[in-house]
Amino acid sequence: MKNTIKILLILLSVFLLSGCTVVRIRTDKIDTIINVILSKDNDLYNTVGKGYKYYKPRGVTSIDVSEYNEKLYSKGQYYYLYVDINNYYYKKEFTYTEKDDCYYSKYIDINGKTGYLEINKQEDGNYLIEFLYNYSKIESLVEEKNINDVVLNASYILSTIKYNSDVIKLMLNEDYFTNQEEKYDIFTPKVESSDFLKYDVGSGE
């Protein structure tokens, strides 16, 4: 009886330690990706938009552009990029509280630029990534195995976005905003994915 209890305690300890190790490694890897990439200060760019430019990592392609929204694709994954020139120009501040009930939740403040990375598991088993940094946001709905790759590419894109204040000032006039039918608030986490994100998951594979 004593031997049985001893064996059970050993197995339980191994299980708990293994579980903690897996979680720690997974979390540290995401932390490392965003800390290393976002800390770099470079002028790399290969893509130019209206009032901004950025570096698109190798293997990432643009398949649709609409005003300040871009739909990107890489290895079966779709990325939705939203660039907020309005809040950039007026330097709008935002607040974010880290959450304990998310797969991953982190407030970011690196190189004088703020944002957050939040990852939530969806009912269908996929994960909604919401990555806001430098007045731009990337959303993607992915399988768990693809989370790190998407975070890596998103980190490169968001960290290299450079704004042209002079061009943006010309665009931010009364007539321009009168013609805009829809505004997108990138500062607000979604928690649940929209229909277009759900539709695109795995559709490119």
Side-chain angles (χ1 to χ4, degrees), residues 129-193:
I129 296 176
E130 298 180 74
F131 197 164
L132 170 70
Y133 183 71
N134 189 24
Y135 295 101
S136 297
K137 186 177 186 180
I138 285 180
E139 294 180 0
S140 186
L141 192 61
V142 305
E143 296 179 10
E144 184 174 11
K145 65 181 180 180
N146 297 320
I147 288 176
N148 287 340
D149 286 341
V150 173
V151 169
L152 178 63
N153 284 332
S155 296
Y156 273 113
I157 293 170
L158 296 177
S159 66
T160 56
I161 288 180
K162 298 290 189 299
Y163 296 93
N164 188 322
S165 297
D166 293 333
V167 172
I168 291 174
K169 184 177 181 179
L170 291 175
M171 294 188 297
L172 294 184
N173 58 63
E174 186 174 350
D175 290 336
Y176 179 81
F177 272 106
T178 299
N179 294 328
Q180 302 305 298
E181 297 180 355
E182 183 178 354
K183 302 295 187 298
Y184 182 84
D185 182 8
I186 69 170
F187 287 174
T188 304
K190 285 186 175 180
V191 180
E192 294 184 359
S193 63

Side-chain angles (χ1 to χ4, degrees), residues 21-154:
T21 301
V22 170
V23 173
R24 180 179 60 78
I25 291 174
R26 180 180 61 203
T27 301
D28 283 352
K29 191 164 187 180
I30 295 177
D31 288 342
T32 300
I33 290 172
I34 60 178
N35 287 332
V36 171
I37 303 302
L38 299 187
S39 295
K40 294 181 178 179
D41 187 15
N42 59 63
D43 295 319
L44 284 176
Y45 75 91
N46 54 18
T47 305
V48 178
K50 293 183 177 180
Y52 67 94
K53 60 185 179 181
Y54 70 92
Y55 174 73
K56 191 183 302 171
R58 180 179 299 178
V60 177
T61 59
S62 178
I63 59 177
D64 189 28
V65 179
S66 176
E67 292 298 332
Y68 304 104
N69 301 338
E70 289 191 47
K71 184 177 180 180
L72 307 171
Y73 176 85
S74 177
K75 297 180 181 179
Q77 303 298 149
Y78 291 91
Y79 304 64
Y80 294 85
L81 170 65
Y82 309 93
V83 180
D84 193 342
I85 64 167
N86 184 48
N87 284 330
Y88 161 77
Y89 188 77
Y90 293 106
K91 298 298 185 288
K92 179 181 177 180
E93 296 183 358
F94 80 104
T95 58
Y96 177 79
T97 302
E98 295 182 356
K99 305 171 184 177
D100 295 329
D101 58 346
C102 295
Y103 176 89
Y104 186 90
S105 174
K106 184 179 181 67
Y107 173 75
I108 301 170
D109 186 351
I110 299 175
N111 283 340
K113 301 171 184 177
T114 57
Y116 69 85
L117 173 58
E118 183 172 309
I119 304 174
N120 287 287
K121 188 173 184 179
Q122 306 295 286
E123 292 182 357
D124 61 3
N126 290 299
Y127 292 78
L128 174 62
I129 296 176
E130 298 180 74
F131 197 164
L132 170 70
Y133 183 71
N134 189 24
Y135 295 101
S136 297
K137 186 177 186 180
I138 285 180
E139 294 180 0
S140 186
L141 192 61
V142 305
E143 296 179 10
E144 184 174 11
K145 65 181 180 180
N146 297 320
I147 288 176
N148 287 340
D149 286 341
V150 173
V151 169
L152 178 63
N153 284 332

